[in-house]
Amino acid sequence: MDSCEKDKIFIKFDGPIIVGAGPSGIAVAACLQENGIPSLVLERSDCIASLWQHKTYDRLKLHLPKHFCELPLFGYPKNFPKYPSKNQFVSYMVSYAQHFNIVPKFNQLVEKAEFDGENGVWRVSTQDCVYVSRWLVVATGENAEAVVPEIQGVEKFEGVVKHTSEYKSGCEFKDQRVLVVGCGNSGMEVSLDLCRYNASPFMVVRNSVHVLPREMFGFTTFGIAMALLKWLPLRVVDRLILLMASLTLGNTDKLGLKRPKTGPIELKNATGKTPVLDTGALSLIKSGNIKVVEQGVRELTRNGARFMDGQEIAFDSIVLATGYKSNVPFWLKGSDFFTDDGMPKTPFPNGWKGENGLYTVGFTRRGLLGTTCDALKIAKDVTDQWRNLTSNSKHEFRLKSCNDQ
């Protein structure tokens, strides 16, 4: 026994232990529950879907139509719009958990999880308990921790610097000049939101980026891509999507938004880099309300930033739209299933299962569609093992009973 575990409560659980009560963890628990398998969901925060509830901006909506973002076995209410809002998605998650009677143990921060080879179980240690189970499901996902870059001179800057995980609304930046570092979906939407409060956003675009219309010719871009992929090779679909995007949006290179050489779907599958689905920011870039800065930040000054080309611009505040990362390497020990970046070494669709009863969900780089796919696979695999164990136990009991007679 680890010396730091001596004063903790030990709890042995028959079903899988699931770390994370976001959409991924709750989806696995629901699929298991549907098969009659109990699970124990551990969550470091005080609520379900804590990233959505505590670390997202107010105007956030699903980027894809709701039918592409349903969790297994339970759909959205029919009166929800095509693109549900943040609050609507949270209400869906709460209803989903209630429907399947999933009650996570909140405020349980997993400090360490490790396989005990001698006893054939996983030991999951939190601040006050050690949970033991035959199965462990890692459901903390790709977006567990904010990525906050180290910027030279940040201590000199006299204004506000915050990550998008702390950003709620542009009302707190009214009439300000704001530097937005990052040009993904969050960077674009924060810039758009800032404009609605008469702020002047300057968006740093250091790398190439695919910007696509959210809808084209009356259909969702994602829906068109999914339909075409049933019949055509991926790279052909990418070329068609980019052709249609060019007709709809024009040449984004002229706006300082240079496209990568790799197509949007191929790039997403290979690296997880999501194309930006435009919800109005592009028109404000064209009008000059959102200014594109095609230089990285060299350092912050007392009242602004100095860029790589030597240019210095004054800003009142800075918003870091620099994304999130996995935190798995910090707490999962003794397993080589994950990379140093906290992603499964085996790519989708085979990255859901490791050794010794280890499973992962929420690491597919394919959003909630990938979550649904993996949750169903995990539930089936665990259910098969559960039934075999139950059957063997009953068989051993019958033999023992016969011998006793």
Side-chain angles (χ1 to χ4, degrees), residues 114-168:
E114 191 167 21
F115 185 69
D116 178 352
E118 184 176 342
N119 296 299
V121 294
W122 286 91
R123 298 164 68 90
V124 182
S125 180
T126 67
Q127 71 273 21
D128 50 21
C129 295
V130 177
Y131 302 92
V132 179
S133 172
R134 183 185 297 268
W135 300 283
L136 174 65
V137 181
V138 177
T140 47
E142 305 160 9
N143 301 315
E145 304 289 344
V147 174
V148 180
E150 293 184 7
I151 304 177
Q152 184 177 339
V154 67
E155 72 284 351
K156 301 176 188 174
F157 184 65
E158 295 181 351
V160 172
V161 179
K162 62 171 57 181
H163 189 270
T164 48
S165 58
E166 301 173 301
Y167 178 98
K168 295 302 176 185

Side-chain angles (χ1 to χ4, degrees), residues 79-368:
N79 64 334
F80 272 28
K82 182 188 288 187
Y83 300 99
S85 68
K86 162 187 171 175
N87 290 336
Q88 287 171 326
F89 181 75
V90 169
S91 72
Y92 166 65
M93 284 298 309
V94 171
S95 298
Y96 188 91
Q98 291 173 344
H99 178 79
F100 292 101
N101 196 30
I102 300 166
V103 183
K105 288 182 71 69
F106 295 115
N107 301 307
Q108 289 292 292
L109 175 64
V110 173
E111 299 171 342
K112 180 181 178 182
E114 191 167 21
F115 185 69
D116 178 352
E118 184 176 342
N119 296 299
V121 294
W122 286 91
R123 298 164 68 90
V124 182
S125 180
T126 67
Q127 71 273 21
D128 50 21
C129 295
V130 177
Y131 302 92
V132 179
S133 172
R134 183 185 297 268
W135 300 283
L136 174 65
V137 181
V138 177
T140 47
E142 305 160 9
N143 301 315
E145 304 289 344
V147 174
V148 180
E150 293 184 7
I151 304 177
Q152 184 177 339
V154 67
E155 72 284 351
K156 301 176 188 174
F157 184 65
E158 295 181 351
V160 172
V161 179
K162 62 171 57 181
H163 189 270
T164 48
S165 58
E166 301 173 301
Y167 178 98
K168 295 302 176 185
S169 167
C171 66
E172 59 187 305
F173 301 96
K174 185 175 172 58
D175 298 324
Q176 292 188 16
R177 291 165 62 87
V178 183
L179 179 65
V180 179
V181 181
C183 61
N185 280 297
S186 294
M188 289 280 194
E189 291 196 2
V190 165
S191 296
L192 176 62
D193 190 53
L194 287 166
C195 287
R196 292 177 175 173
Y197 291 90
N198 203 39
S200 299
F202 291 69
M203 187 173 64
V204 173
V205 181
R206 293 179 302 162
N207 303 310
S208 56
V209 59
H210 280 300
V211 181
L212 305 175
R214 188 163 68 170
E215 298 190 355
M216 295 188 289
F217 313 116
F219 300 94
T220 67
T221 301
F222 188 78
I224 292 172
M226 291 300 100
L228 290 174
L229 284 170
K230 294 178 181 178
W231 305 100
L232 299 171
L234 184 149
R235 290 186 178 180
V236 173
V237 174
D238 266 342
R239 285 198 292 270
L240 289 172
I241 292 295
L242 289 176
L243 175 61
M244 289 186 282
S246 179
L247 292 173
T248 307
L249 302 177
N251 185 357
T252 59
D253 283 26
K254 294 180 178 179
L255 303 173
L257 304 169
K258 295 180 172 59
R259 292 195 181 279
K261 293 180 180 179
T262 307
I265 303 173
E266 184 178 2
L267 189 65
K268 169 69 173 170
N269 292 349
T271 69
K273 186 174 182 180
T274 304
V276 172
L277 295 176
D278 180 49
T279 57
L282 205 62
S283 65
L284 294 180
I285 292 174
K286 291 177 180 178
S287 67
N289 293 84
I290 299 174
K291 293 177 174 58
V292 171
V293 182
E294 297 181 71
Q295 294 286 331
V297 177
R298 174 179 292 171
E299 63 177 334
L300 298 186
T301 61
R302 185 175 61 82
N303 60 354
R306 184 175 292 112
F307 296 90
M308 291 300 181
D309 61 356
Q311 181 185 18
E312 187 171 342
I313 303 177
F315 298 107
D316 300 297
S317 299
I318 299 171
V319 177
L320 303 173
T322 44
Y324 294 84
K325 63 181 179 180
S326 165
N327 68 2
V328 174
F330 295 103
W331 58 269
L332 182 65
K333 305 302 179 183
S335 172
D336 63 354
F337 188 74
F338 286 84
T339 66
D340 292 340
D341 293 329
M343 297 295 290
K345 291 180 180 177
T346 307
F348 181 85
N350 300 312
W352 59 278
K353 183 179 180 180
E355 296 181 341
N356 302 319
L358 176 67
Y359 298 93
T360 73
V361 61
F363 296 88
T364 64
R365 291 173 168 155
R366 284 162 175 78
L368 294 176

Side-chain angles (χ1 to χ4, degrees), residues 62 66-67 69-70 74-78 80 84 88-89 92 368:
L62 290 180
K66 61 183 179 183
H67 63 277
C69 301
E70 285 184 345
F74 187 82
Y76 289 95
K78 291 183 178 179
F80 272 28
Q88 287 171 326
F89 181 75
Y92 166 65
L368 294 176

